[in-house]
Amino acid sequence: MTFLDYISGVPAYLEREWSDLLELTFEHLLVVLVTIVLATVIALGLGLATYRNQSGARAVLTVTGTFLTVPSFALFGLFIPIFGLGAVPTVVALVLYALLPIARNTITGLRSIDPAVVESAQGMGLSRRQRLLRVELPLAWPIIMTGVRVSTLMIVGIAAIAAIVNGPGLGGPIFQGLSAIGTQRGFNLAFSGTLFVAVLALLLDGVLGMLSKLTTSKGL
Amino acid sequence: MPAHEQETATAASIRLESLTKRYAGQAEPAVDNITMDIPAGEIVVLVGPSGCGKTTSLKMINRIIEPTSGRIFIDGEDVTHVNADQLRRRIGYVIQQIGLFPHMTIAENIGMVPRLLGWNRARISERVDELLDLVGMEPSAYRARYPKELSGGQRQRVGVARAMSADPPLLLMDEPFGAIDPITRERLQNEFLRLQSNIRKTIVFVTHDIDEAIKLGDRIAILTKGSKIAQYDTPEAILTAPANDFVADFIGSGASLKRLSLSRVRDVELNQWAVGRLDDDRAQLRQSLTESDHGSLLLLDEDQRPVRWVTGHDLTRSGESLDRVGLPATATVEPHATLHDALNEMVTSRVGCAIVVDDQRRYQGIVDMRTVMRAIDEMRESSQARDRHAAVQPMEAG
Ligand SMILES: Nc1ncnc2c1ncn2[C@@H]1O[C@H](COP(=O)(O)OP(=O)(O)O)[C@@H](O)[C@H]1O
Ligand SMILES: [Mg+2]
């Protein structure tokens, strides 16, 4: 059978399994959203705590960078003894992967602000906290949001691998399909799983892009 | 805020007492034991070579830099250890790079400190408009713009407006015109002086440019390395009697030419030039020109604004409309400009004089070489009189 033969079988499959696939996509989306919200909170905190401190910032970037170098199979597997199977180890592992882009962009964004702007804020009597909330974060925001978008794209893909710890989402059909590769059913499963992952990634990126634009000052 | 409230707002006096700053890892202190009294309502300029400690001295007043030792008094109150954020809300601060908030509109930038102080919206918005007017920017046109949409000179004006937003009795300015092109800088300096003649704040102004110091300062402190005061006096006294070789060197050559910066156009008697109106009859204009002893006529528009210089020959060229013949009437100065500015304009003008206009650009008169020479003569006489007086004094004492 050629690739085209396989493809021609997909539409009928999609029609049959449409609602199941949507449900899995929704699960996938949920995992990604929870991951990104948690990762953003943590990475933003790490970034804010260390951006003015050379060695602190370097430590954060090194550690979060190291998470990214661990193969995802291994990382998911490592958490089984601690968290068992299912959604919890999935989200924990994914959060670790999502930290670096957000933390790095938070630090870069906050550091790229013109020192004169911060000094004038200080000179006007804005407290440390007011400077951060009213001046520094809004100015670094577009760069931080870019980090969030990069993490999101990455996590939508990696979340599929969570199926090996029985994680929720579109990894399920993809892995089943891969284990039955060479059959039409195997192809249907793997192909539609991948297709939905890709579409979800594009949609999320579009939504985040819009969100970033809406929440960034027109003066920047 | 109503205008009268602003006029009555007090200016603050400052006293620096044995103020010292030692940066970590540096052998010599950047500011070494400076003691200085700054009277209320005056512009005091700190001037000196690069690296002598001007910026450090200035930033210790609002404690952006914390002093290593010494004390700072504002209006007699020791502020060396008070809450720095609250202290700074009472002190306007303008730096060379200005540092407008790029993500906020001009109105939000100017309204920042009033917002921190908890003013209500209506009062803030009224204050923003008042300040934009004060620095010569049409509020309706600029309120909603962002800093990136302004020119360098306009950003500088907004920076000054923002520093004055909560009507602080004290302004600190660190080379505020340093990054601006010379022509705009001169205009901003003149506007700044006009502004100060209305608001009468205490202003501590840092520059490395002695000409700027002479032009703007009521008093000048010439600083050497470690922010040591070489001389602290009025510009007149510094120019006529430099305290030591360092000051004399720093003033440089041409001290008498620099003294032209001490006289303002509004203080000298203006000459009048033969003028006509753009819409006057040409025969009538030729008549006025012949009756005057000038070689050309200055044409004004219907609002009395200078437009063209025309000669008798230009007036006979019937084909051209009057606003196309002759030379454009450039080289204008405002009453706040110094004679030094006027002299500058004069030498660029082909007619050899500077046209004096008011702040609406309406014609007031002209300044020419004779005016300048007369001013120089007067200054020479008064300084000779002072020298004679100084020479007589010790004998009387003895
Ligand atoms: N943050 C700093 N850390 C260490 N040294 C500094 C710092 N700021 C200024 N200096 C040093 O202190 C001296 C005075 O600097 P500054 O006050 O900026 O002078 P000025 O404004 O007159 O040019 C200089 O020798 C400068 O190198
Ligand atoms: Mg400096």
Side-chain angles (χ1 to χ4, degrees), chain A residues 114 116-128 130-131 134-136 138-139 217-220, chain B residues 59 62 64 85 88-89 91 93 95 97-104 109 112-113 115-116 146 148 162:
Chain A
D114 179 358
V117 171
V118 182
E119 186 183 325
S120 76
Q122 188 187 10
M124 290 162 73
L126 275 78
S127 65
R128 178 79 202 92
Q130 286 166 329
R131 259 175 274 155
R134 293 182 189 226
V135 179
E136 294 176 79
L139 288 176
S217 157
K218 285 196 289 295
L220 298 183
Chain B
K59 287 186 184 174
N62 63 357
I64 295 263
D85 292 327
R88 291 178 194 137
R89 288 176 202 170
I91 303 179
Y93 186 50
I95 52 180
Q97 312 84 331
I98 316 167
L100 294 183
F101 305 133
H103 60 303
M104 295 184 191
N109 265 280
M112 185 59 151
V113 175
R115 252 193 332 275
L116 293 179
Y146 285 96
K148 70 174 178 193
R162 184 175 68 169

Side-chain angles (χ1 to χ4, degrees), chain B residues 49-239:
Chain B
S50 176
C52 73
K54 305 179 293 294
T55 296
T56 306
S57 302
L58 188 80
K59 287 186 184 174
M60 283 194 283
I61 300 177
N62 63 357
R63 308 230 324 268
I64 295 263
I65 294 176
E66 291 286 356
T68 311
S69 63
R71 298 203 290 172
I72 308 144
F73 296 87
I74 293 181
D75 267 344
E77 180 199 348
D78 186 344
V79 296
T80 324
H81 302 290
V82 302
N83 178 298
D85 292 327
Q86 265 151 33
L87 173 70
R88 291 178 194 137
R89 288 176 202 170
R90 292 156 42 196
I91 303 179
Y93 186 50
V94 184
I95 52 180
Q96 182 177 328
Q97 312 84 331
I98 316 167
L100 294 183
F101 305 133
H103 60 303
M104 295 184 191
T105 62
I106 301 311
E108 288 166 342
N109 265 280
I110 299 177
M112 185 59 151
V113 175
R115 252 193 332 275
L116 293 179
L117 294 175
W119 294 17
N120 67 39
R121 275 166 170 276
R123 183 169 172 214
I124 295 175
S125 145
E126 201 180 315
R127 179 67 179 155
V128 166
D129 288 1
E130 185 189 6
L131 282 165
L132 281 172
D133 267 332
L134 201 61
V135 296
M137 291 172 72
E138 174 57 43
S140 59
Y142 290 102
R143 222 186 279 126
R145 291 211 200 167
Y146 285 96
K148 70 174 178 193
E149 299 167 292
L150 303 186
S151 70
Q154 290 170 331
R155 279 181 212 172
Q156 191 57 54
R157 289 188 179 93
V158 173
V160 171
R162 184 175 68 169
M164 298 196 310
S165 58
D167 204 23
L170 167 58
L171 282 177
L172 306 180
M173 308 180 91
D174 191 354
E175 314 221 12
F177 309 133
I180 308 252
D181 68 273
I183 294 173
T184 313
R185 182 189 312 148
E186 192 183 311
R187 187 171 331 129
L188 289 173
Q189 288 169 340
N190 292 336
E191 285 176 10
F192 171 68
L193 285 171
R194 186 165 62 214
L195 193 67
Q196 167 67 352
S197 67
N198 294 327
I199 60 176
R200 293 266 157 226
K201 302 288 179 194
T202 308
I203 297 170
V204 187
F205 189 108
V206 161
T207 179
H208 62 267
D209 175 1
I210 182 70
D211 293 310
E212 184 168 65
I214 292 168
K215 177 169 181 181
L216 301 182
D218 294 312
R219 271 164 216 263
I220 299 175
I222 296 187
L223 305 178
T224 67
K225 196 159 167 33
S227 218
K228 290 211 166 60
I229 300 177
Q231 187 169 6
Y232 180 35
D233 216 328
T234 61
E236 287 84 351
I238 284 175
L239 286 176

Side-chain angles (χ1 to χ4, degrees), chain A residues 126-160:
Chain A
L126 275 78
S127 65
R128 178 79 202 92
R129 193 188 146 85
Q130 286 166 329
R131 259 175 274 155
L132 201 58
L133 292 181
R134 293 182 189 226
V135 179
E136 294 176 79
L137 273 179
L139 288 176
W141 189 244
I143 300 176
I144 297 174
M145 278 304 284
T146 306
V148 173
R149 281 172 77 176
V150 170
S151 277
T152 306
L153 278 180
M154 212 172 69
I155 292 306
V156 172
I158 301 180

